[in-house]
Amino acid sequence: MCLAVPGKIIGFVDNIESVFKIGKVSFDGIVKKINLGLVPEAKEGDYVLVHVGVAMSVVDEEEAKRTMDFLLGTDDLDDIRPDDE
């Protein structure tokens, strides 16, 4: 099964405008570096759907929170949680 997880852009690793633009994205407090090349319009504070380390689309906050609440109710997010949690 393929799963896209919503996260909030909290910053950028650099300001290079290219297919290699990397942002810091928070997934319910877990921060990962994500490729933002497919969503050049994304800015800090936006929510994005992420699949295998690449942001696929920008989504609104309500949709992102509803999806994250659902995923938190399942075991589907165990792979992104640190081992010490």
Side-chain angles (χ1 to χ4, degrees):
M1 171 174 72
C2 295
L3 181 67
V5 180
K8 183 177 183 178
I9 300 172
I10 60 170
F12 297 96
V13 174
D14 56 43
N15 288 322
I16 298 171
E17 294 293 333
S18 75
V19 295
F20 303 109
K21 186 170 185 171
I22 304 296
K24 294 178 185 176
V25 177
S26 175
F27 301 93
D28 195 44
I30 298 168
V31 177
K32 301 279 185 177
K33 291 180 183 174
I34 301 298
N35 184 309
L36 300 172
L38 296 177
V39 288
E41 73 279 15
K43 57 192 176 306
E44 193 169 329
D46 283 350
Y47 288 82
V48 290
L49 282 180
V50 177
H51 176 65
V52 294
V54 178
M56 306 299 283
S57 63
V58 176
V59 295
D60 65 53
E61 182 176 2
E62 182 180 325
E63 179 181 349
K65 288 185 176 184
R66 188 173 54 245
T67 302
M68 184 58 86
D69 287 344
F70 172 79
L71 292 172
L72 289 171
T74 69
D75 294 330
D76 291 333
L77 296 181
D78 289 346
D79 290 342
I80 66 169
R81 297 234 179 261
D83 291 332
D84 58 341
E85 283 193 11

